[in-house]
Amino acid sequence: MQQLNCSSSCQLTDDFPICVAVCAILGLGFVLGVPGNLSVLVILIKRLKENNFTIRMMLSLAVSDLLILLQLPVWMWAVLHGWVFTSTACKIISYVEYWCIYCSAFCVTLMSVQRYMHVLHHHKWAKLGTRRENGLLCGIWILSGVFTLYAPVQRDVGCEQYGFLYCYQQFRNKTEQVATLLFEILLFVICFFLLFYFYYRLYRGVNESPFSSSNRMTKLVTRIVVAFFIFNFLVPVANILIIIAIFLNNQNFYKHADLCGNVARALTFLNSCVNPFLYTFSLRGLQRD
């Protein structure tokens, strides 16, 4: 759009196999995740009358995951055929995508804190009340929205480094790019640390209690931590590789690291498919612990 030598399709570039692989991952996420999250929404909405904070957190998670997955056909088309929408659409879709991804990660993290407090410090958590619990959920959406403000500023339509028209991050300089990558790495490290720490403390507490069976909790804790780590850890790894490539000023290394980043970000969408099965279908088991 902005450059005459820009192709409108990834099919005309040497990276077409990578584009196909990314679309395959996104397509799998859409086919599995949308029906799963819709089913979860129906189940959870029926149970809202129970006034259970765990259910409200899962509902918030399902909404954010569903909004992420509903955008996948747009990105699949853009990867294979180029960006055919306006620059404004690029900014809005990117903002919603980042907003929901951060919200999903924060919901998962809050679940670990809530389960720890509810099981081992029930009386302290009960003092919050419904209003403050809802305030926590609203705070997650607001905080995610604030953290995502950089997305529409940096995203625009143009001829990116692989030679085709796309909606991608355009940095004014290397300092801005490194700062953005470090910010995303820091968010992952904080979320994963809190997730692991509180579930580990929960497992230890339940395991030491003579009144609770920890077998079910052990399996669930393992699945939650492993799933979050598997589907998300490649993004900060790719970001680190990109930062190294920037400091080395190695364009070939940078291109390969960026391609790894594209595949890694596509894999994070699969986490939105796993979440409904991981949390909702474990709800009954959690309430018995």
Side-chain angles (χ1 to χ4, degrees):
M1 183 177 295
Q2 290 134 330
Q3 299 184 25
L4 296 176
N5 295 327
C6 186
S7 168
S8 62
S9 174
C10 175
Q11 301 178 43
L12 302 179
T13 71
D14 295 333
D15 300 302
F16 181 62
I18 300 295
C19 297
V20 173
V22 170
C23 285
I25 296 173
L26 298 182
L28 179 64
F30 182 81
V31 171
L32 295 179
V34 172
N37 279 284
L38 285 174
S39 301
V40 166
L41 284 175
V42 173
I43 295 172
L44 294 178
I45 289 175
K46 291 180 179 179
R47 300 189 61 176
L48 276 178
K49 59 184 179 181
E50 298 177 17
N51 195 26
N52 187 303
F53 184 57
T54 301
I55 292 176
R56 295 199 297 275
M57 279 194 299
M58 289 181 177
L59 182 63
S60 178
L61 179 62
V63 170
S64 60
D65 284 343
L66 184 60
L67 289 175
I68 292 171
L69 296 171
L70 287 176
Q71 300 181 59
L72 295 188
V74 174
W75 292 116
M76 291 169 62
W77 180 270
V79 168
L80 290 178
H81 303 286
W83 190 262
V84 296
F85 309 102
T86 64
S87 174
T88 302
C90 166
K91 293 178 180 293
I92 293 175
I93 292 175
S94 298
Y95 180 79
V96 174
E97 175 196 349
Y98 275 74
W99 186 14
C100 293
I101 287 175
Y102 287 160
C103 186
S104 180
F106 292 159
C107 278
V108 171
T109 305
L110 179 60
M111 282 183 182
S112 68
V113 179
Q114 189 269 342
R115 290 311 307 170
Y116 168 76
M117 294 296 296
H118 181 76
V119 174
L120 300 180
H121 304 281
H122 179 72
H123 295 294
K124 292 182 179 179
W125 182 265
K127 292 180 180 179
L128 286 178
T130 302
R131 176 179 292 185
R132 291 180 181 177
E133 287 177 345
N134 292 336
L136 286 175
L137 287 178
C138 291
I140 282 178
W141 283 91
I142 294 172
L143 186 63
S144 302
V146 172
F147 281 172
T148 313
L149 289 175
Y150 69 92
V153 176
Q154 295 176 345
R155 287 269 182 165
D156 205 352
V157 179
C159 186
E160 50 93 87
Q161 63 173 325
Y162 305 112
F164 67 99
L165 199 65
Y166 195 63
C167 168
Y168 73 107
Q169 283 180 297
Q170 300 184 29
F171 303 101
R172 290 171 294 182
N173 50 59
K174 293 181 179 180
T175 301
E176 179 185 347
Q177 184 175 8
V178 171
T180 301
L181 294 174
L182 289 174
F183 174 73
E184 293 177 354
I185 293 172
L186 180 62
L187 281 182
F188 169 81
V189 170
I190 292 175
C191 287
F192 182 74
F193 173 78
L194 291 175
L195 181 69
F196 179 82
Y197 174 78
F198 281 105
Y199 271 128
Y200 175 73
R201 291 290 302 273
L202 175 61
Y203 162 67
R204 286 285 302 271
V206 171
N207 192 44
E208 294 171 359
S209 172
F211 305 105
S212 298
S213 172
S214 62
N215 185 47
R216 189 187 303 112
M217 183 64 70
T218 303
K219 292 181 180 179
L220 180 58
V221 170
T222 303
R223 290 167 185 166
I224 291 171
V225 175
V226 170
F228 183 83
F229 185 78
I230 287 177
F231 290 113
N232 291 276
F233 89 100
L234 286 178
V235 174
V237 170
N239 286 351
I240 292 173
L241 293 177
I242 293 173
I243 291 174
I244 294 174
I246 291 174
F247 281 115
L248 294 177
N249 197 25
N250 188 323
Q251 290 299 320
N252 188 50
F253 183 28
Y254 178 89
K255 180 178 180 179
H256 286 87
D258 191 54
L259 282 173
C260 290
N262 291 336
V263 176
R265 281 185 285 273
L267 285 174
T268 61
F269 291 113
L270 295 183
N271 200 189
S272 298
C273 307
V274 174
N275 282 335
F277 304 97
L278 204 58
Y279 294 99
T280 301
F281 298 112
S282 301
L283 178 58
R284 185 175 301 175
L286 276 173
Q287 289 176 330
R288 288 199 297 262
D289 281 325

